[in-house]
Amino acid sequence: MSENSKPQDSETLDQPASEPAPAGPAQHGLLARVQSEAAAGADAAAAEKARARRAAAPVAESSVSKIKLEESAHPEPMRPASRMPRLPSDEEIASALAKSVSDAETGKAAGKTGTVSVAEPADAAVNTESAEDSAAMRPSAEELAKRKAARDKAANTKPVLPRVFQVLIAVFYPIVLLVLAIRLVTTSTFLWIEYHRPGFPSDSFGFTTDDRITYGSYTVDYLLNFASPRYLGDLVNSAGNPLFLSREVVHMADVKTVIVMAFLTALVLAIIMVIGMVYLSRRSFGGNRRAFFAGSIVTLALIIVLGIFAVTGWEAFFTEFHKIFFANGTWTFYTDDTLIRLFPSQFWMDSGIFIGAFVFVVSSLTLAFTWPTKDRRVAVSAAMRPGRRAA
């Protein structure tokens, strides 16, 4: 190598490396292909990640639901429904069955023309089987008629208890009213009125009006109190002699037994009547009116028959009455006995007239106030509603 060549070589070594030569067309096509493949791979990876997220979402949701169900292992008690669901009637069931059969036949016809898909014949077969099962479960026309007749009979059947209370009130009414009239007679007020009325016979053996009121009041008080027969047996007159003989005291004890039994019986019947009246006022509009209307008719018929018997033969009526409640020979006395002097025959006639008049007037007023007029019948018809039916 010559000396001239050395400086040239060193100069060449001192210069920096030159940039690569520009690529040709083949190199450009290879670079574009590599970039497109890298983009496609990135898109595929992103799509794969999205599918993985979607697949994991139901699992997470089911796990959350499971956690919620486990948290509510002790749910709150179910509350009863406010009203029962409406059940379909027989006509609606028949209409639904007919529609199901019609739809099934329509599906079969469409399958023959080839316009339905492969799954439609199977659906039509299922519908046909369901329709046949429903038709088999549907009751026959005879059974439906029996059910309808049973429903109509149940709807038109009236409750029995209101009828029972109406009959009891109608039967008990004359008894209670008669005992009430007897109670009004067994008072000192009635004695005073009777002894002071004009025309009442005086005592031919010496009792004054004041004596009669005093001794008669003792007798009436004994009938209403809880005293023993000594209450009358220990009474003496002004001369110091016993006021009542022993047989008179025994008879008054028998009278007291009858009076007490009558009052207690009337009290029990009156309580039953009150219970029936309260029940009828709530469950049967107009039931009380019909019961007392029937009772007043029975009372009037009874008092009229007894009145005719008493007027046509008072002595026979008085005798038969005592034979019913007292033993023979225990209720007959002499005219000078104290009971006859205090309560002569005229007293019992006046008492019978008062009892008959009182019962007749009260039962007549009851009949008038409970008479089934047109306005009352209209009011009963207008007031009829479920839960409060006229019986």
Side-chain angles (χ1 to χ4, degrees):
M1 180 180 298
S2 61
E3 293 178 353
N4 294 332
S5 63
K6 289 179 181 180
Q8 184 178 359
D9 294 335
S10 60
E11 183 178 0
T12 303
L13 293 171
D14 295 334
Q15 292 179 356
S18 61
E19 294 179 0
Q27 292 179 351
H28 279 292
L30 180 60
L31 181 60
R33 186 182 301 169
V34 172
Q35 290 178 352
S36 65
E37 289 177 357
D43 295 338
E48 185 65 25
K49 290 181 179 180
R51 285 195 297 271
R53 286 195 299 270
R54 287 195 298 270
V59 177
E61 184 178 355
S62 62
S63 62
V64 173
S65 301
K66 183 177 181 181
I67 292 173
K68 290 182 178 180
L69 291 175
E70 291 176 354
E71 291 176 354
S72 60
H74 302 283
E76 295 182 357
M78 295 179 64
R79 291 176 295 178
S82 59
R83 58 182 180 180
M84 296 298 293
R86 177 182 176 273
L87 298 178
S89 62
D90 296 335
E91 291 76 8
E92 293 175 348
I93 295 175
S95 177
L97 292 177
K99 184 178 180 181
S100 299
V101 174
S102 177
D103 293 341
E105 293 178 354
T106 303
K108 286 182 178 181
K112 291 181 180 180
T113 58
T115 58
V116 296
S117 63
V118 178
E120 288 180 355
D123 295 339
V126 173
N127 292 334
T128 304
E129 293 177 359
S130 300
E132 291 177 355
D133 294 341
S134 301
M137 294 175 61
R138 182 175 181 270
S140 61
E142 183 179 358
E143 183 65 21
L144 291 177
K146 290 182 179 180
R147 293 181 182 179
K148 185 177 183 301
R151 288 195 300 267
D152 294 341
K153 182 179 179 180
N156 296 327
T157 300
K158 295 180 179 180
V160 178
L161 194 56
R163 289 285 187 183
V164 173
F165 274 122
Q166 290 182 34
V167 173
L168 292 179
I169 291 175
V171 173
F172 294 165
Y173 177 76
I175 300 174
V176 173
L177 188 59
L178 181 62
V179 174
L180 178 60
I182 295 174
R183 179 63 184 88
L184 294 177
V185 170
T186 56
T187 58
S188 299
T189 302
F190 183 82
L191 287 179
W192 188 92
I193 295 174
E194 185 69 11
Y195 289 147
H196 286 84
R197 78 168 183 86
F200 190 80
S202 60
D203 179 33
S204 57
F205 295 96
F207 278 165
T208 63
T209 302
D210 184 65
D211 292 337
R212 278 181 163 179
I213 293 176
T214 301
Y215 300 148
S217 298
Y218 275 111
T219 307
V220 173
D221 291 341
Y222 170 71
L223 297 177
L224 303 178
N225 60 27
F226 297 97
S228 64
R230 289 183 55 191
Y231 188 86
L232 294 180
D234 292 344
L235 294 177
V236 294
N237 56 19
S238 58
N241 298 322
L243 186 63
F244 296 98
L245 300 177
S246 59
R247 53 192 180 88
E248 293 178 300
V249 175
V250 171
H251 176 65
M252 292 306 300
D254 296 337
V255 173
K256 183 175 184 176
T257 301
V258 174
I259 290 292
V260 171
M261 292 299 297
F263 288 171
L264 291 178
T265 301
L267 179 61
V268 173
L269 298 184
I271 292 174
I272 297 175
M273 289 178 63
V274 171
I275 295 173
M277 291 166 60
V278 173
Y279 177 83
L280 291 176
S281 64
R282 296 180 178 179
R283 300 299 303 274
S284 177
F285 187 84
N288 284 321
R289 180 184 57 79
R290 287 186 293 273
F292 282 101
F293 178 75
S296 62
I297 293 177
V298 174
T299 305
L300 286 174
L302 180 64
I303 202 67
I304 289 174
V305 171
L306 292 178
I308 293 174
F309 185 37
V311 170
T312 55
W314 170 254
E315 293 296 333
F317 176 80
F318 189 79
T319 301
E320 294 298 327
F321 172 81
H322 279 75
K323 285 182 178 180
I324 294 174
F325 296 102
F326 308 107
N328 290 332
T330 61
W331 52 273
T332 55
F333 304 99
Y334 296 104
T335 55
D336 59 345
D337 290 338
T338 302
L339 287 179
I340 300 300
R341 296 168 62 185
L342 294 177
F343 309 107
S345 179
Q346 186 63 45
F347 176 86
W348 298 113
M349 291 181 62
D350 295 343
S351 299
I353 293 173
F354 174 82
I355 293 173
F358 177 83
V359 173
F360 182 83
V361 171
V362 174
S363 57
S364 298
L365 292 176
T366 303
L367 181 67
F369 283 109
T370 58
W371 189 272
T373 60
K374 181 179 179 181
D375 294 338
R376 289 170 180 167
R377 291 194 298 267
V378 171
V380 170
S381 301
M384 290 180 63
R385 58 182 181 272
R388 185 171 180 173
R389 298 180 295 175

